[in-house]
Amino acid sequence: MAAKKERTIEETFTDLEEIIRKLEGGESSLEEAFQYYEAGMKLVKSCNEKIDKVEKKIIVIEENGENHEL
């Protein structure tokens, strides 16, 4: 079984933009709109988690950089 490749932030944003277009199109049934909303919220959560990881890495890099100057 092949390992599932983690999507990049950019890929996740592209997926989210597509869901937004579908919701804004107004042609979806209420049930479909709810499914799009639910999928979109999962993507937003995923983006937030990825951004948090990047922020933590930046903090570590900055802290390590300051320690090397001493």
Side-chain angles (χ1 to χ4, degrees), residues 42-54:
K42 288 179 183 177
L43 290 172
V44 168
K45 182 180 178 190
S46 174
C47 284
N48 284 335
E49 290 170 356
K50 291 175 193 225
I51 290 169
D52 284 346
K53 285 181 186 177
V54 170

Side-chain angles (χ1 to χ4, degrees), residues 3 5 7 12 15 20 23 27 31 33 35-37 40 44-47 54-55 62-64 67:
K5 179 183 170 256
R7 298 184 61 74
T12 306
D15 292 345
I20 291 168
L23 286 170
E27 296 179 16
E31 192 171 298
Q35 290 173 352
Y36 292 145
Y37 174 80
V44 168
K45 182 180 178 190
S46 174
C47 284
V54 170
E55 287 176 340
E62 287 177 347
E63 287 175 354
N64 287 339
N67 290 337

Side-chain angles (χ1 to χ4, degrees), residues 11-45:
E11 291 169 332
T12 306
F13 274 128
T14 299
D15 292 345
L16 189 54
E17 288 171 352
E18 180 62 30
I19 288 173
I20 291 168
R21 278 193 288 278
K22 289 177 182 178
L23 286 170
E24 290 179 339
E27 296 179 16
S28 304
S29 69
L30 182 58
E31 192 171 298
E32 289 171 327
F34 180 74
Q35 290 173 352
Y36 292 145
Y37 174 80
E38 187 175 32
M41 292 308 295
K42 288 179 183 177
L43 290 172
V44 168
K45 182 180 178 190

